Every structure is written in C-alpha cells, then in structure tokens.
Amino acid sequence: MRIIYIDDFFHPDAGYHINLLSKYWSLFGHEVFLLTAESEKIPESLKSFFDYSNIKEKDRDFELKNRVKIIRLPIIRVISGRAIYTKEIFRKIERINPDIVYCNGNDSLIGMQLTLRAKKAKYGLVLDSHMLEIASVNKFREAYHMFYKKIFAPIIIKQEIPVIRTQESDYIEKYLGIPLKMSPFISFGSDTLNFHPDAEVRKRFRKENGISQNAFVVVYAGKLNEAKGIDLLKKTITNKFNLGVEIVFLIVGTLDSSINDPDKYFNNCQNRVIRYPTQKYPDLPKFYQASDIAIFPKQCSLSFYDVQACGLPVVFEDNSLNIIRAAHGNALVFQHDNVEDFRDKITLLANMDSVRFKTMQKHAIQYIMENYDYKDKAMEYIPILESKLKHH
C-alpha cells in the first residue's frame, strides 16, 4: 500500500506514534509518506522540548534509516494546538495519489477537513483518537462536542471511516457520537528492536558514569515539571535511603523553565543523583538498560512500556490504570502524593531477594512481549487500512 500519514507536529528524534508506526509499516513493505507542518511555525512549547535546529538533516537521517518520505508543508498558524494548513496539503495528497490516508487525530483541523472530503476522495481514510475525557479541558468543549456530533459523526458513520482509539475509553462515543463498533482499540507499545535488556550496555554505561556494578540504580526519564510530579520526586529522593546497597538516582530530562534555580534543584539531595538533559528517543535505551527500576511520580508516560521492555520493575501512583498495569507481578503502586509510601516501595525493591526481583524483571519483559510489542501493534493496523482500500 501507498500510505500517507498526517500528523501536525513531527520530530524525527521523538518516540511518538508517527515515528514508530511509519517505521514498522515501511518494514512491512509499504510505501510511507509523512506529511507534517513546517518547522518554522512549530509552537514554542514543542521547540523547548525538542531541538528543531538542523531539522532538515534530522529528517533526512530518519528517512534513510526508516525508508519513509517526510514532507513538511506550509501552515497559516497554530490555534489551540491545531495546525491550519494551506491548500498545498490537498494538492500534495493528490500528487502522491495514495491508497490510504491515515490522519493522527480525528479532532485535528486537517482530520475534520479530510472527513468532509471523504465521500469524493480517491483514497481510503482512517483516523485515530488519542483523547480522554480528563484531557478535554477547553472552555468551549461542550459547544465543540455538539458541533462534532451534528456535522462530522454522521459523515464518519455513513462513510464507515474507522477512528482507531489509542486509549481504552468511550470518549468518542459519549461526547462525539462515534459508535465504539467503528472505533477499534489499539494500544501504544514499545519498540522492542531498541528497548530490551543488554548486559554489555549496562556494564559500559555504569563504568563510564562511575557507578558500581552492584549499585541499585533508579531511573526517571521524562518531563520535569509540576504535572509530572517534580516536587514529589524531589521530596522522595532528598533524604538518604538507608539500604544495604548503594542507591543512585538517574534523572533524564530538562527541568521546566518555570522552576526557580533549576541548576540547584537537586543539589541538597542526600543520595547520589546523576542528571542528563532530555534525550533523543533512539538514545534512551542505554539509560534503562543500565538501571534496575524505573519510577513515575505522577502521570505515568508512554515510556512505561519502554522501561518494562528493558526488564525494569516500575513504581508509580495508585490510579486505576496503574493498578491494572501492576497486576502482572511487574510493578508496584504507591499511595497518590504520599512521599513515605513512595520511598517504602523503592526500598522494598532495593532490598528484595534476587530470586523474587528477577521474577519481577521477567514478568515486566513478558508483559510487553505478549501484549505491547510495537511490531505487533503496528500489524494490527494493517487489516483496518486494507479494509478501506478503494480502486483507483
């Protein structure tokens, strides 16, 4: 198939859906084009997290490595996180003449424009939804829900356009009027070609960073801001852990610019802390492979799948989703916002006998390989895409 994947904001060093699905679809033998917004008008919030300097060179590297074609298109501006493309995007789609257009976000502006054009389109259209009820916070959301139900849901139903859910939620049925029978659920996962245990990398990384091979290394990788629990993390690791083994906290991420004195934020920690700035997605495996466990103070990110693929038991807060994730002998939950319980769970893992700990490691890897290997996840999309093929 010739597939166009449209996502408003793409960065080749990220580990987002578009990076991984496009890679695997190409590996499966399909011709993949990534259409995205020009880098000059990317929102500053994204530019502060990803380095857009030399983006053309980074795009080319991604293209060569993954055998996909990246096309950055002009946009008028960005409103409420949605890119407003010029008409060039439709001319580009016509010139490429795809079999399938897969659009990230049924609620993106381009997703809604493609929905309106679906009946006359020469290609099949597939959309996805990443939205959850808790994330729908725009003050105009009720008006938007009514508008979408009246205008777009009937088209999606009549044209039988699949809207793939990446979250197991009834949001799109409850608020947008799209039946769940038209909305298969395919979860995120881990790129196990890159994320897996590696004893040699573990040994080398620890040697390069002056970490004992016997030390207990706890990794946190992600955004360092209030939403991700930066203050809870600081409080949890500040006081010394009295263990029978050295404990080292490996923190990978750049502190949010709103934090006062970011350079001094962890200076008063009584445990050893090694810090690295935000990393490119392909460079993350070594940090996990060198560690023993991973922690998530709040809002467990998609890196959960990657650390588990590397065999790391996880400690995270006791929300309903995490409790389900931890039911496989692969993770521990702590009471929400409770520093002492967070510390107790880290201590429990650090002091755990080797047989039980290795069992948790095995369960973590098994949990991913059986349920969340991105190769398998990417393959689940193919029958859905094929079902929407049109004869040119």
Side-chain angles (χ1 to χ4, degrees):
M1 288 184 291
R2 177 175 290 181
I3 304 169
I4 287 180
Y5 193 137
I6 300 177
D7 195 337
D8 285 350
F9 309 114
F10 168 77
H11 194 290
D13 292 339
Y16 293 150
H17 218 37
I18 183 172
N19 302 66
L20 296 167
L21 287 181
S22 62
K23 164 186 173 176
Y24 277 103
W25 290 347
S26 177
L27 282 174
F28 297 159
H30 302 291
E31 187 178 8
V32 183
F33 297 79
L34 304 184
L35 273 55
T36 189
E38 58 184 325
S39 59
E40 291 78 9
K41 294 184 180 178
I42 295 293
E44 289 301 319
S45 59
L46 287 177
K47 286 186 176 180
S48 65
F49 194 69
F50 293 112
D51 181 10
Y52 275 85
S53 62
N54 302 318
I55 192 65
K56 290 183 179 180
E57 181 180 336
K58 293 171 183 175
D59 282 351
R60 298 296 85 77
D61 288 344
F62 186 91
E63 289 179 323
L64 291 172
K65 183 176 181 180
N66 298 292
R67 294 185 300 173
V68 302
K69 177 65 177 176
I70 300 168
I71 301 171
R72 293 191 179 271
L73 295 163
I75 62 173
I76 299 170
R77 61 180 299 187
V78 176
I79 298 179
S80 296
R82 293 170 173 84
I84 303 177
Y85 291 90
T86 68
K87 292 183 179 180
E88 175 61 23
I89 190 168
F90 300 109
R91 289 192 286 267
K92 182 62 69 174
I93 291 172
E94 186 175 348
R95 286 194 291 269
I96 293 173
N97 191 28
D99 299 303
I100 293 291
V101 170
Y102 180 93
C103 185
N104 183 72
N106 67 298
D107 56 354
S108 64
L109 180 59
I110 186 61
M112 291 187 281
Q113 290 175 304
L114 290 167
T115 300
L116 293 174
R117 293 166 174 256
K119 182 178 180 179
K120 296 182 178 180
K122 296 179 181 179
Y123 51 80
L125 177 63
V126 178
L127 307 170
D128 72 18
S129 171
H130 301 255
M131 183 58 72
L132 292 168
E133 182 176 351
I134 193 173
S136 182
V137 295
N138 190 293
K139 62 182 179 180
F140 301 113
R141 62 185 179 275
E142 291 184 9
Y144 163 71
H145 292 157
M146 291 179 61
F147 174 69
Y148 197 99
K149 277 185 177 181
K150 184 175 181 179
I151 302 299
F152 297 99
I155 298 173
I156 288 172
I157 294 169
K158 186 173 182 179
Q159 299 300 320
E160 299 182 336
I161 302 170
V163 182
I164 298 172
R165 290 174 296 143
T166 60
Q167 306 281 353
E168 197 165 12
S169 163
D170 65 352
Y171 169 85
I172 63 172
E173 181 175 65
K174 183 177 180 181
Y175 293 101
L176 302 184
I178 302 171
L180 290 184
K181 65 181 181 181
M182 297 182 60
S183 308
F185 167 60
I186 304 178
S187 74
F188 297 110
S190 179
D191 182 4
T192 57
L193 292 177
N194 292 323
F195 293 92
H196 50 77
D198 192 314
E200 288 302 314
V201 171
R202 174 188 174 92
K203 183 177 179 180
R204 183 169 62 250
F205 183 94
R206 289 186 172 217
K207 183 177 180 180
E208 291 172 351
N209 286 273
I211 303 172
S212 167
Q213 298 299 323
N214 297 319
F216 189 76
V217 178
V218 180
V219 65
Y220 170 80
K223 295 179 181 178
L224 292 169
N225 56 27
E226 183 178 348
K228 292 292 185 179
I230 178 63
D231 289 327
L232 177 60
L233 176 63
K234 180 183 178 183
K235 292 175 184 177
T236 299
I237 71 174
T238 293
N239 293 331
K240 189 171 182 60
F241 281 78
N242 295 309
L243 306 172
V245 64
E246 177 191 8
I247 188 168
V248 177
F249 289 92
L250 179 58
I251 299 176
V252 184
T254 303
L255 280 160
D256 193 275
S257 58
S258 64
I259 295 174
N260 294 327
D261 297 322
D263 292 335
K264 301 178 181 179
Y265 203 76
F266 293 104
N267 284 5
N268 64 342
C269 185
Q270 297 174 17
N271 303 287
R272 187 181 177 194
V273 175
I274 299 175
R275 288 185 53 204
Y276 277 85
T278 300
Q279 300 290 304
K280 299 176 182 178
Y281 181 73
D283 294 336
L284 280 172
K286 63 183 178 183
F287 294 95
Y288 304 154
Q289 290 159 344
S291 302
D292 293 291
I293 69 169
I295 57 175
F296 297 93
K298 291 183 180 179
Q299 293 189 358
C300 181
S301 67
L302 296 179
S303 54
F304 164 78
Y305 299 107
D306 296 332
V307 299
Q308 289 260 286
C310 291
L312 303 190
V314 165
V315 180
F316 45 18
E317 64 179 347
D318 59 349
N319 62 43
S320 58
L321 177 58
N322 289 345
I323 289 171
I324 293 172
R325 286 171 166 172
H328 306 273
N330 55 320
L332 298 177
V333 296
F334 67 91
Q335 296 173 12
H336 171 74
D337 223 18
N338 188 320
V339 171
E340 290 307 312
D341 195 38
F342 196 1
R343 287 175 60 87
D344 286 346
K345 295 303 189 296
I346 294 172
T347 300
L348 176 62
L349 288 172
N351 288 334
M352 188 174 287
D353 69 83
S354 61
V355 174
R356 186 180 172 194
F357 188 79
K358 288 179 180 178
T359 298
M360 286 194 73
Q361 291 177 312
K362 180 181 177 180
H363 287 166
I365 297 169
Q366 186 176 355
Y367 178 62
I368 298 302
M369 297 305 296
E370 292 182 356
N371 303 287
Y372 298 103
D373 188 329
Y374 238 117
K375 181 180 180 181
D376 297 333
K377 293 300 166 188
M379 185 59 75
E380 288 182 35
Y381 284 78
I382 300 303
I384 299 172
L385 301 182
E386 291 177 338
S387 73
K388 299 308 299 179
L389 288 174
K390 296 182 178 181
H391 296 293
H392 289 215

